[in-house]
Amino acid sequence: VPGQPVSVTVFGAKCNWNGSTGTDDTAAFNAAWASIAATGGEIDLPTGDCYVPNGLNFSNSTPEFGNWRVIRGQGKMQSQIVTNNANIGLDLGGVTNLSLRDFMLTDVGAAPHVGLARYRPSVSKECGSHNYDGIAILGNYTLAAFYSIACEVNTAKDMDIYQYGPGVGISIDQSNCLSMTGQALAIVTAYSDTVNHFYGGTVLADQ
């Protein structure tokens, strides 16, 4: 039903990653996204770990402006999207008006590149607004979260970045507007040489 929340399990996702093996749920996520991309709606994740080894690429798949799209789990310790040495775990380039809620994005590989990427693919497109509530990003990323080029407003009400390696926790580059504002943005790392890059963006953390 248009506008009604739909679970990825309806499209065949098993979300049965057990720490070493699991069903590849990529096709189910792509089908679920296709069902809301143009008109808006909500994708729900079940309790469990959904395995998408090469990550999810939703970039350039929506109109420039439109209804909100929501990806919602059962809690960041209950619902996980699991990748394995992905180049980009969750690619949201060019996606407008998106809300990510209550799940964790994690990579189980030794050398994943980017966790979450939000950017404007060309100078003619705006990214609209994104908000993050109850989201965690965890892994040995080169760059855990990346925001670039006039992506308007990103609001983080509850967003945790756990960077396992000496890469970049969050990078905000070339913002025309507020790149990341919010009540709680935590960046946790076990490495003293993890760095965070803020180029022209405004960051208000733990307010």
Side-chain angles (χ1 to χ4, degrees):
V1 179
Q4 294 296 312
V6 59
S7 174
V8 291
T9 59
V10 171
F11 296 92
K14 303 300 182 185
C15 298
N16 60 1
W17 173 258
N18 63 10
S20 57
T21 61
T23 304
D24 186 341
D25 291 323
T26 304
F29 271 84
N30 287 340
W33 180 258
S35 76
I36 71 165
T39 58
E42 179 175 315
I43 299 171
D44 287 347
L45 312 182
T47 296
D49 298 346
C50 306
Y51 186 50
V52 290
N54 296 317
L56 297 169
N57 184 355
F58 298 152
S59 65
N60 286 323
S61 58
T62 62
E64 291 192 23
F65 296 98
N67 296 326
W68 279 84
R69 298 150 192 87
V70 179
I71 302 175
R72 185 192 304 269
Q74 307 303 310
K76 57 187 170 185
M77 301 305 294
Q78 288 75 42
S79 300
Q80 295 191 51
I81 296 176
V82 180
T83 61
N84 193 342
N85 278 327
N87 184 47
I88 300 178
L90 185 54
D91 188 338
L92 303 171
V95 178
T96 64
N97 299 343
L98 180 68
S99 178
L100 304 180
R101 297 177 177 269
D102 301 318
F103 68 87
M104 179 182 292
L105 173 66
T106 184
D107 195 286
V108 296
H113 185 42
V114 176
L116 183 149
R118 168 127 157 69
Y119 55 91
R120 191 180 69 177
S122 70
V123 295
S124 63
K125 294 174 71 71
E126 295 293 335
C127 287
S129 297
H130 282 201
N131 62 55
Y132 310 91
D133 189 352
I135 294 299
I137 302 173
L138 181 151
N140 185 31
Y141 296 106
T142 303
L143 173 54
F146 173 66
Y147 301 83
S148 181
I149 309 179
C151 277
E152 306 244 338
V153 179
N154 296 277
T155 302
K157 183 178 179 182
D158 178 7
M159 183 176 181
D160 301 326
I161 296 174
Y162 300 94
Q163 173 62 280
Y164 278 7
V168 177
I170 186 169
S171 175
I172 295 177
D173 186 11
Q174 300 180 42
S175 172
N176 283 5
C177 194
L178 290 178
S179 285
M180 181 66 77
T181 67
Q183 297 174 342
L185 168 61
I187 301 173
V188 180
T189 177
Y191 287 79
S192 61
D193 51 352
T194 295
V195 294
N196 303 299
H197 294 164
F198 305 115
Y199 301 126
T202 300
V203 178
L204 301 175
D206 300 322
Q207 301 295 312

